């Protein structure tokens, strides 16, 4: 296999390479670590990690070596596994542009110490991703483009010290489908704790550099969706996100940073946020219904206080988010502070919003559609 891996413990794996079809099958007898000098999986090539039936699954940790500045590890072909796949690149950029199917996928461009590697192999222990404070994170980028990523049994976890880009092209949109949660993070110092049974599992650590997460693909998760960047950073969300067919939670966390949420992005689930919205609009009661033409599940997200314990799966009360307005509390808390007649009054909302900047998007609701009832009222 050209530029193939070195099996750290040869007793744990064996490799068969079919040169005619550019296909490699690596059979594993349990958890294994593979060292790669450079990964160049072309669109015509395939790589299969096959865990033997008596292992009851396992983890293969692919450790990628540093490359010269400007070079990238490329997974552009087909990668398949009946177990858990970890892709770890401490210092060089990684591109995922192929078809990846695994029981669970963890792809991270970040440094981790030996104890962290052992935790990644076990799969149920906390790990700290932390780059040396003197090192630059400029090249530590993860790009997901033209990719189809599927986890058949667990989570999809994508992260990088500098940032993560999930992008689309007209030829083949990027789709991420996870049996459980999908988690995406950017930040130079991050704790990831898969041992937590529910909720958020990504926590920024002190000393983070600025980072970003940009999502324009399609995320469909069997449970929650968690997208997190370090403080004073940016989240750019323009693609659809569905969490457990609208019954799950969508966490967008950036602490003191900025969230750019495209008003036409279709979100299905309970939205919980920390950060300042640079652009978004949640319309009023008379405005929106998703409509049959919307690919979303048809549930309205609700803005909620962080650490809240109750959950919503139905439409929230009206909330308008203006440029520069921090979102830290829920619509529910807002309506408790005034009688229902005032909470639903457009004139009252107008008074509250005097002096604020004009909403960046007007005459369209969160789903970009208005109900026939709203149009009828407007015509009157």
């Amino acid at each position: 296999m050209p530029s193939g891996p070195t099996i750290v413990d040869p007793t744990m794996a064996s490799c068969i390479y079919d040169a005619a079809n550019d296909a490699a099958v690596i059979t594993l007898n349990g958890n294994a670590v593979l060292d790669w000098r450079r990964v160049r999986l072309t669109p015509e090539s395939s790589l299969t990690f096959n865990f033997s039936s008596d292992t009851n699954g396992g983890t293969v940790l692919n450790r990628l070596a540093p490359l010269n500045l400007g070079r990238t590890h490329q997974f552009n072909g087909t990668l398949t596994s009946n177990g858990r796949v970890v892709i770890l690149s401490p210092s060089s950029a990684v591109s995922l542009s192929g078809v990846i199917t695994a029981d669970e996928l963890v792809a991270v461009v970040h440094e981790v110490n030996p104890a962290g590697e052992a935790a990644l192999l076990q799969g149920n222990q906390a790990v700290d991703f932390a780059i040396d404070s003197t090192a630059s994170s400029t090249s530590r980028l993860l790009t997901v483009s033209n990719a189809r990523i599927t986890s058949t049994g667990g989570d999809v976890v994508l992260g990088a010290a500098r940032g993560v880009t999930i992008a689309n092209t007209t030829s083949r949109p990027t789709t991420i489908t996870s049996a459980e949660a999908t988690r995406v993070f950017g930040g130079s110092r991050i704790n990831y704790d898969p041992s937590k049974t529910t909720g958020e599992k990504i926590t920024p650590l002190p000393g983070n550099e600025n980072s970003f997460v940009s999502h324009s693909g399609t995320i469909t998760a069997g449970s929650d969706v968690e997208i997190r960047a370090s403080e004073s950073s940016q989240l750019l969300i323009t693609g659809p996100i569905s969490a457990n067919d609208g019954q799950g939670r969508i966490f967008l966390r950036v602490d003191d940073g900025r969230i750019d949420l495209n008003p036409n992005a279709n979100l299905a689930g309970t939205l919980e946020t920390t950060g300042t919205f640079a652009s978004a609009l949640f319309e009023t009661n008379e405005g929106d219904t998703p409509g049959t033409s919307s690919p979303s599940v048809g549930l309205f997200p609700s803005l909620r206080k962080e650490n809240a314990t109750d959950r919503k799966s139905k439409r929230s009360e009206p909330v308008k988010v203006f440029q520069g307005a921090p979102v830290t509390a829920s619509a529910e808390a807002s309506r408790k502070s005034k009688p229902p007649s005032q909470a639903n009054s457009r004139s009252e909302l107008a008074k509250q919003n005097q002096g604020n900047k004009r909403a960046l998007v007007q005459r369209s609701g969160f789903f970009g559609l208005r109900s026939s009832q709203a149009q009828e009222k407007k015509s009157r």
Side-chain angles (χ1 to χ4, degrees), residues 212-255:
F212 70 91
V213 174
S214 175
H215 164 62
S216 61
T218 298
I219 294 177
T220 306
S223 58
D224 296 333
V225 175
E226 180 180 7
I227 301 179
R228 165 78 83 161
S230 55
E231 56 185 63
S232 302
S233 298
Q234 181 179 10
L235 301 182
L236 176 61
I237 309 298
T238 60
I241 299 174
S242 175
N244 189 19
D245 290 333
Q247 304 301 313
R249 289 171 291 179
I250 301 171
F251 303 101
L252 303 181
R253 305 290 195 201
V254 73
D255 294 337

Side-chain angles (χ1 to χ4, degrees), residues 104-105 149-151 154-158 176-178 181-184:
E104 181 168 299
L105 174 69
I149 297 175
T150 304
S151 71
D155 293 352
V156 171
V157 180
L158 307 172
I176 299 172
T177 305
S178 56
T182 294
R183 308 184 190 277
V184 186

Side-chain angles (χ1 to χ4, degrees), residues 92-104:
S92 296
V94 172
S95 171
L96 305 180
S97 298
V99 178
I100 300 177
T101 305
D103 181 71
E104 181 168 299

Side-chain angles (χ1 to χ4, degrees), residues 185-200:
F185 69 84
S188 58
R189 299 180 63 81
I190 296 289
N191 174 268
Y192 166 56
D193 189 356
S195 66
K196 295 180 179 178
T197 55
T198 59
E200 299 168 86

Side-chain angles (χ1 to χ4, degrees), residues 218-352:
T218 298
I219 294 177
T220 306
S223 58
D224 296 333
V225 175
E226 180 180 7
I227 301 179
R228 165 78 83 161
S230 55
E231 56 185 63
S232 302
S233 298
Q234 181 179 10
L235 301 182
L236 176 61
I237 309 298
T238 60
I241 299 174
S242 175
N244 189 19
D245 290 333
Q247 304 301 313
R249 289 171 291 179
I250 301 171
F251 303 101
L252 303 181
R253 305 290 195 201
V254 73
D255 294 337
D256 295 329
R258 188 178 74 180
I259 301 173
D260 286 300
L261 178 59
N262 190 306
N264 293 319
N266 293 304
L267 305 185
T270 298
L271 179 62
E272 303 189 25
T273 67
T274 304
T276 299
F277 277 88
S279 60
L281 181 68
F282 297 86
E283 273 281 9
T284 59
N285 276 346
E286 297 178 4
D288 293 332
T289 56
T292 56
S293 62
S294 172
S296 70
V297 176
L299 300 176
F300 278 68
S302 58
L303 300 180
R304 299 172 17 102
K305 191 179 294 183
E306 190 170 7
N307 299 325
T309 56
D310 61 315
R311 296 181 58 179
K312 288 179 177 287
S313 61
K314 295 183 179 179
R315 174 176 176 171
S316 67
E317 284 290 310
V319 179
K320 279 183 180 287
V321 180
F322 290 85
Q323 184 178 15
V327 178
T328 55
S330 67
E332 182 180 6
S334 173
R335 69 174 179 269
K336 283 181 179 178
S337 64
K338 56 177 74 70
S341 59
Q342 290 181 337
N344 293 327
S345 167
R346 284 183 176 272
S347 61
E348 179 66 19
L349 287 171
K351 290 178 183 178
Q352 292 173 1

Side-chain angles (χ1 to χ4, degrees), residues 41 186 333:
L41 197 63

